[in-house]
Amino acid sequence: MKLPEPMLIAFEEAEAAAVRGEVPVGAVVADARGRIIARAGNRTLELKDPTAHAEMLAIRTAAAVLGSERLNDCDLHVTLEPCAMCAGAISFARIRRLYFGAADEKMGAVEHGSRFFAQATCHHRPDVYSGFGEDQARELLREFFKSRR
């Protein structure tokens, strides 16, 4: 399956994060037509900020670009299943669709862990599509952590 352009850019961001020594996760916010609004890779180490996940940075930038805290007509493309913090931000931002690559059995909160969007207290649930570039995302993470051991 050919990956959509926003997911290809998310992988570029993930690779750039790895070069910076960050966990290789990339994210892209695109509008309904696929136009890129924001892109980011993890920067938790660089910024000394535990909330500087790729998804959070991309959502913040998209909100600033669009001048709204609501990203109703936007989709998020991310290389790894979002954690609970990022799932919360996705819900609060009213992201329309979430596309992600590799599952994250340890920290993921969409299809694993808390399954954030399935909770009764979740006010907005995006359409979720998983497995986009899953093998590539998993290999990028595997190589990154292998080089750290």
Side-chain angles (χ1 to χ4, degrees):
M1 159 185 12
K2 184 178 185 288
L3 293 177
E5 184 69 18
M7 188 59 88
L8 292 173
I9 293 171
F11 274 105
E12 289 175 11
E13 290 293 333
E15 290 165 4
V19 169
R20 293 190 305 271
E22 302 275 0
V23 174
V25 177
V28 167
V29 174
D31 68 14
R33 295 176 309 182
R35 183 178 59 104
I36 306 303
I37 297 168
R39 57 191 287 171
N42 275 355
R43 292 186 180 275
T44 58
L45 299 173
E46 175 188 337
L47 299 176
K48 308 288 186 267
D49 178 356
T51 70
H53 290 194
E55 302 96 317
M56 299 293 286
L57 297 172
I59 288 169
R60 286 178 192 148
T61 300
V65 166
L66 296 175
S68 175
E69 74 282 6
R70 302 278 194 240
L71 304 177
N72 296 319
D73 294 324
C74 294
D75 301 334
L76 179 67
H77 301 257
V78 61
T79 59
L80 183 66
E81 179 181 356
C83 70
M85 173 183 67
C86 294
I90 291 164
S91 179
F92 286 126
R94 307 295 196 265
I95 296 286
R96 181 178 76 140
R97 293 183 183 137
L98 167 65
Y99 299 89
F100 71 86
D104 185 351
E105 289 93 24
K106 281 176 97 174
M107 295 299 293
V110 176
E111 294 180 348
H112 297 88
S114 65
R115 299 177 191 264
F116 188 91
F117 303 127
Q119 300 302 313
T121 55
C122 181
H123 297 291
H124 172 78
R125 294 163 180 82
D127 295 332
V128 176
Y129 305 92
S130 61
F132 282 81
E134 183 175 15
D135 293 338
Q136 181 182 350
R138 198 177 3 235
E139 186 59 27
L140 186 60
L141 288 159
R142 186 178 297 124
E143 286 301 315
F144 175 80
F145 287 113
K146 183 177 161 184
S147 73
R148 297 288 186 264
R149 293 183 188 121

